[in-house]
Amino acid sequence: MSFVITTPLYYVNDKPHLGSIYTTLICDSIARFKRLSGDNVIFITGVDEHGLKIQRTASNKGVDPQSHCDEISDIFKQNWKSWDITNNKFVRTSSQNHESIVNEFYNRVKASGDIYMGVQKGWYCVGCEEFKENPENLSSYKCPIHQKNLEWKNEENLFFRLSKYQSQIEELINEPSFIYPKERRNEIINFVSKGLKDFSVSRTNVSWGISVPDTKDHTFYVWFDALLGYVSAICPNMSDPSLESSINNGWPADIHFIGKDILRFHAVYWPAMLLSAGMDVPKRVFGHGFLTREGQKMGKSLGNVLDPNLLLSKYGKEAVRWYLLKDISLGSDGDFQNKRFVDIINNDLANTIGNLLNRTSSMSRKWFDNKVPDTYELIIDNTLQLCCNEAVEKFINHFNLYELDLAANVILNLAINTNLYLNEKQPWKLIKDENNISIVCNIIYDVLESTRIIGLLLLPILPDLSSKINMQLGSLYNKNESWNDQLNWGLLKSKSNLPAPYPIIEKLEYE
Ligand code: MSP
């Protein structure tokens, strides 16, 4: 089965911050999970390079917009490499092939009779690249997200007949599977119920954009252009891009992962544009929460960003991935706090999972000649087997519902329960009596097997730690066999060698 997943296309007004890393890590983890589950994944990310915000950023730097975009887009690519992001596509909206897709799409929308010339007046936030409704309700005409002054605009623009799609959009957003999480659906239903207004899709005062065919001095509104990046990314043949080839190669997207601030664009404007062009709408849109720092949205424009590369070099990607994916429920906001970060990594990864592996493999190596013990069928205690089977089922269900935090907690709980089992059984006491050897073999085998399953379950979330765990058990994930099958109980080979141990995760220090 094919599965198309997208991150938003990030503005290149600055290098990535932890908020952008957050969305990308979520998508990466889901893409990894889907691949492990046997799907043919197209994982799209990229950059949104046009518009007033980027034009101004380049001009403030005193460079031409294209060079600015080249520089920042390279930084994004480099970042995704250092975070081991497994995207198959990286789209740039300043590329030639993207421009062809935008033009072809626009011609289809125009042919549907959905474009007309009008006058756009209103208060605009350059940070959001969006007109704000009811600005009189905003404190001193400031954008609540960017805390910057809104700007008055009054110009001739081309409009898209969004209002024509009122009933189709209502039907779509009422589909329970379309907007996730469900709390966000109500916001959109409420917005649409007020009546959809046509919106402007061109600008006359922005030179840094794709020129609208046959319309002098107009460039496309950056959102009209950027949303189409998802379609151009899928295009298999970059030298001959066309909507048809994107459609044949996997469009529509199975899921767009985006922050809650841009849900309207993805769940309302975008589907209407696609309907107008005779294309399928995305199957699902997930609006995740914001990452905050000390309670305030982290953002480039707000100047309170955490440098992800600093976190990466200081703590490593596994620690950051675990914190962001396990500690924050996808739909909700999550606050980044240094102390909590250090505590979680030390408790979950070092003390619980790392320690489980260390102590069990040390006991096994010491008592069974550096090997996994042999098992004895006479003794029947299937406690851990049942725990593992249940954990695997729950983990897969949570992942399929995009409940990544709950999935991660399933692994953690399995490790906690396995540690408890070991503490209860106290094999270090039993081993003192030779008559207990078969019982000890079974206990240690079961605990090692449970640890192997913990390692395998970690694969989509913490790929490096997962390999380290399974390497130490001498039982690496086999790429040529199904991951699901390898999650079955009892596959750790009795009497196989246990490699020499080394620390799989370092404890973190408070700053
Ligand atoms: N360029 C548009 C998206 C176009 S998609 C066709 C855009 N870019 S952005 O760089 O400003 O934001 C990209 C994403 O990052 C958005 O989903 C936004 O919600 C998300 N985030 C920005 N700051 C964030 C946090 N502090 N926390 C989590 N996500 C954040 O919007």
Side-chain angles (χ1 to χ4, degrees), residues 34-47:
K34 290 285 181 186
R35 284 189 200 107
L36 289 168
S37 310
D39 286 352
N40 174 23
V41 174
I42 303 183
F43 169 15
I44 296 170
T45 187
V47 282

Side-chain angles (χ1 to χ4, degrees), residues 264-488:
R264 228 181 250 185
F265 285 101
H266 285 79
V268 179
Y269 300 174
W270 178 223
M273 285 162 56
L274 286 161
L275 288 169
S276 168
M279 287 174 68
D280 285 345
V281 300
K283 293 184 196 150
R284 179 166 297 163
V285 178
F286 196 118
H288 65 70
F290 282 155
L291 212 52
T292 57
R293 194 176 178 190
E294 312 307 332
Q296 217 192 11
K297 179 182 177 258
M298 208 185 296
K300 293 168 271 196
S301 323
L302 292 175
N304 64 345
V305 293
L306 252 176
D307 182 353
N309 289 331
L310 218 73
L311 285 180
L312 182 65
S313 57
K314 208 155 141 199
Y315 302 123
K317 54 182 179 289
E318 303 291 277
V320 182
R321 281 179 82 107
W322 183 256
Y323 182 79
L324 295 180
L325 300 179
K326 181 249 168 187
D327 203 46
I328 301 168
S329 159
L330 254 190
S332 326
D333 290 350
D335 208 29
F336 191 94
Q337 293 158 1
N338 223 59
K339 181 171 181 307
R340 185 167 171 78
F341 174 79
V342 171
D343 286 346
I344 282 186
I345 301 311
N346 288 347
N347 289 336
D348 298 356
L349 300 186
N351 297 346
T352 306
I353 297 178
N355 196 28
L356 171 68
L357 173 72
N358 279 347
R359 63 183 188 144
T360 324
S361 63
S362 312
M363 284 184 249
S364 196
R365 286 167 59 83
K366 186 164 152 206
W367 299 335
F368 305 108
D369 190 22
N370 295 324
K371 288 187 171 41
V372 174
D374 207 353
T375 50
Y376 292 85
E377 292 196 354
L378 284 175
I379 300 149
I380 303 196
D381 174 3
N382 57 1
T383 313
L384 284 185
Q385 178 174 2
L386 293 179
C387 274
C388 282
N389 290 348
E390 195 191 345
V392 168
E393 197 185 323
K394 278 190 179 165
F395 180 87
I396 291 175
N397 286 342
H398 284 312
F399 236 105
N400 278 324
L401 292 170
Y402 306 110
E403 295 166 343
L404 271 57
D405 58 323
L406 299 184
N409 272 302
V410 167
I411 307 180
L412 183 63
N413 285 331
L414 181 57
I416 291 171
N417 288 332
T418 310
N419 269 319
L420 281 176
Y421 177 84
L422 199 58
N423 294 347
E424 256 169 41
K425 297 290 171 183
Q426 302 191 323
W428 47 89
K429 283 193 183 153
L430 295 172
I431 194 82
K432 289 179 185 153
D433 179 347
E434 259 193 22
N435 295 323
N436 289 331
I437 191 75
S438 53
I439 306 178
V440 174
C441 280
N442 277 11
I443 295 170
I444 297 296
Y445 178 88
D446 284 5
V447 175
L448 285 171
E449 175 60 351
S450 184
T451 313
R452 181 188 71 88
I453 290 176
I454 289 169
L456 266 186
L457 286 176
L458 278 172
L459 200 50
I461 301 180
L462 304 182
D464 284 2
L465 189 70
S466 160
S467 320
K468 283 183 186 160
I469 293 175
N470 290 87
M471 193 137 44
Q472 287 219 357
L473 294 171
S475 175
L476 268 177
Y477 161 64
N478 181 350
K479 278 194 185 112
N480 302 320
E481 279 175 27
S482 127
W483 177 65
N484 275 278
D485 289 351
Q486 292 173 67
L487 289 167
N488 285 330

Side-chain angles (χ1 to χ4, degrees), residues 8-11 13 17 19-20 22-23 48 53 127 223 226-227 230 257-262 266 288-292 297-300:
L9 305 184
Y10 302 104
Y11 283 129
N13 56 323
H17 61 76
S20 9
Y22 177 56
T23 323
D48 181 354
K53 167 149 131 170
W223 272 100
L227 286 161
Y230 299 135
F257 257 96
I258 46 149
K260 59 183 179 180
D261 54 333
I262 56 173
H266 285 79
H288 65 70
F290 282 155
L291 212 52
T292 57
K297 179 182 177 258
M298 208 185 296
K300 293 168 271 196

